[in-house]
Amino acid sequence: MHHVQVKRRMGESDVAEVAELLATVALADGHRPLGEHKWLDLVHGGRTGFAGFVAREGRAGPLLGYAQLSRGHRTWGVEVVVVPEARGPDHCVTPDLLSAAVAEVGRQGGGHVHLWVAKPDDWWDDTAASCGLHRGRELLQMRRPLPFAHEDLGVTVRAFVPGEDEATWLEVNNRAFASHPEQGDWDLDTLLEREAEPWFDPDGFLLHERDGRLAAFCWTKVHEGEHRLGEIYVIGVDPDFQGLGLGRALVLAGLDHLAAAGIGTGMLYVDGDNAAAVSLYRSLGFEVDHLDRAYTGDVASTR
Ligand SMILES: CC(C)(COP(=O)(O)OP(=O)(O)OC[C@H]1O[C@@H](n2cnc3c(N)ncnc32)[C@H](O)[C@@H]1OP(=O)(O)O)[C@@H](O)C(=O)NCCC(=O)NCCS
């Protein structure tokens, strides 16, 4: 029999226990659970609206699962991480953690909820539906081998200069991603938080200028580990310069940078319904490795 406990603040030992669970699950699944935003929220002690939920064997046994609720700009984000042995339609750890998180949203005034599930199995549809959540956005993770031999593109790029390029980059990013739910309204704090991350490397953040303006950029991120992955982290072309071949050229510049760093696999995430980007990546030989899905729904206040 398992037991679910809610924690509105996580102490050092709680974070260490969750980190151990995440490492176990990462090893079993071949990818890291808990998105970047949520991990930062957890290790920085939790912003307003944060709640962690731990499920353990009995009252003091080992962790079987962890769910985290984080409040975003407009929505609540939930993620559920469960050890492989306690997953699936015959186990109730996942639905119990999820319903505890959804009930907490109700207690905190309700709102729109996004539950991200990496590589969802079929049983997730029913589990999510039992808590009032239904299929929403799908994020594809695409990969291709590196290096990528290609013709010279004749497009010059330079590295981002911290302390100088922030305002210009934010303007072009927000114009390129105007209709994107998470990437289109970045402010200086969001950018500086990323620049402070240990993986941040301005040499892998490439800018292309044309007519004295920032026209396009490709920001790469290296995932260290046994199997190093080179991510096209954010790629954008100013709307005034789209359709001119810059998207293609900048992705290739990013891949060249990653290959030169000795990385053998290029990777990126793209919204399944971003036809322009998916078609660009397919034409560059990227193939879908797996998909992550959001389940969404509106939760009523129970205050
Ligand atoms: C996606 C994006 C980077 C493409 O850049 P771009 O400079 O406009 O694209 P390119 O001119 O290099 O076109 C390259 C390929 O992209 C695809 N493509 C570009 N625009 C497209 C569109 N509107 N519809 C369908 N495919 C399109 C085509 O496959 C094209 O190849 P083709 O020229 O042989 O037809 C750009 O549209 C953009 O910044 N979009 C907003 C931000 C974004 O969605 N970024 C990707 C997030 S993962």
Side-chain angles (χ1 to χ4, degrees), residues 142-167:
M142 302 181 84
R143 297 185 182 194
R144 71 145 291 143
L146 298 179
F148 183 0
H150 60 84
E151 74 283 13
D152 179 19
L153 297 153
V155 168
T156 51
V157 292
R158 68 166 176 89
F160 179 91
V161 180
E164 282 182 19
D165 285 322
E166 281 80 0

Side-chain angles (χ1 to χ4, degrees), residues 176-177 235-237 241-249 269-271 274-277 279-281 283:
F177 285 95
I235 163 93
V237 177
F241 296 93
Q242 287 181 6
L244 304 175
L246 288 182
R248 186 181 145 81
Y269 288 95
V270 58
D271 256 299
N274 187 343
S279 140
L280 167 62
Y281 303 143
S283 77

Side-chain angles (χ1 to χ4, degrees), residues 169-192:
W169 180 82
L170 282 166
E171 194 192 325
V172 173
N173 175 74
N174 291 351
R175 275 165 59 76
F177 285 95
S179 58
H180 193 279
E182 283 131 21
Q183 189 65 37
D185 61 354
W186 275 39
D187 57 18
L188 187 59
D189 285 346
T190 323
L191 177 55
L192 293 179

Side-chain angles (χ1 to χ4, degrees), residues 15-30:
V15 174
E17 205 180 13
V18 170
E20 199 179 316
L21 173 81
L22 298 180
T24 306
V25 170
L27 205 62
D29 293 354

Side-chain angles (χ1 to χ4, degrees), residues 7-302:
K7 290 176 180 269
R8 292 193 178 74
R9 299 218 50 93
M10 302 284 282
E12 239 172 74
S13 62
D14 297 316
V15 174
E17 205 180 13
V18 170
E20 199 179 316
L21 173 81
L22 298 180
T24 306
V25 170
L27 205 62
D29 293 354
H31 68 93
R32 217 188 124 68
L34 209 66
E36 187 181 34
H37 283 74
K38 292 205 183 59
W39 170 251
L40 291 174
D41 199 11
L42 170 65
V43 294
H44 292 157
R47 286 179 285 233
T48 320
F50 169 93
F53 304 82
V54 291
R56 60 177 80 250
E57 191 75 57
R59 286 190 178 265
L63 275 200
L64 296 173
Y66 171 68
Q68 185 173 314
L69 183 64
S70 297
R71 195 200 281 267
H73 290 302
R74 289 181 290 261
T75 58
W76 292 94
V78 181
E79 214 167 307
V80 181
V81 183
V82 173
V83 294
E85 314 79 75
R87 289 179 204 164
D90 303 329
H91 294 275
C92 46
V93 175
T94 306
D96 286 356
L97 281 167
L98 182 56
S99 60
V102 167
E104 180 67 19
V105 172
R107 273 195 294 277
Q108 294 202 36
H112 192 65
V113 173
H114 261 236
L115 161 75
W116 276 104
V117 181
K119 301 184 185 173
D121 289 315
D122 291 345
W123 53 268
W124 264 107
D125 283 359
D126 289 340
T127 299
S130 70
C131 294
L133 306 179
H134 302 281
R135 282 189 183 205
R137 281 169 64 203
E138 287 184 342
L139 208 54
L140 310 180
Q141 196 202 85
M142 302 181 84
R143 297 185 182 194
R144 71 145 291 143
L146 298 179
F148 183 0
H150 60 84
E151 74 283 13
D152 179 19
L153 297 153
V155 168
T156 51
V157 292
R158 68 166 176 89
F160 179 91
V161 180
E164 282 182 19
D165 285 322
E166 281 80 0
T168 314
W169 180 82
L170 282 166
E171 194 192 325
V172 173
N173 175 74
N174 291 351
R175 275 165 59 76
F177 285 95
S179 58
H180 193 279
E182 283 131 21
Q183 189 65 37
D185 61 354
W186 275 39
D187 57 18
L188 187 59
D189 285 346
T190 323
L191 177 55
L192 293 179
E193 204 174 270
R194 295 304 187 283
E195 287 183 40
E197 283 292 301
W199 56 262
F200 179 74
D201 173 15
D203 290 340
F205 190 165
L206 309 174
L207 309 184
H208 170 68
E209 285 156 326
R210 195 170 271 206
D211 307 336
R213 292 169 59 188
L214 174 60
F217 61 86
C218 180
W219 183 355
T220 63
K221 170 178 177 179
V222 174
H223 297 256
E224 297 295 351
E226 200 182 321
H227 185 67
R228 292 170 85 212
L229 288 175
E231 180 178 356
I232 302 290
Y233 181 58
V234 197
I235 163 93
V237 177
D238 186 283
D240 289 347
F241 296 93
Q242 287 181 6
L244 304 175
L246 288 182
R248 186 181 145 81
L250 269 280
V251 172
L252 288 171
L255 295 178
D256 287 349
H257 171 83
L258 294 166
I263 289 163
T265 307
M267 176 274 270
L268 54 83
Y269 288 95
V270 58
D271 256 299
D273 62 3
N274 187 343
V278 172
S279 140
L280 167 62
Y281 303 143
R282 284 200 192 280
S283 77
L284 290 172
F286 278 89
E287 286 177 8
V288 176
D289 181 78
H290 66 266
L291 72 77
D292 296 346
R293 180 181 299 134
Y295 288 92
T296 65
D298 292 309
V299 175
S301 173
T302 52

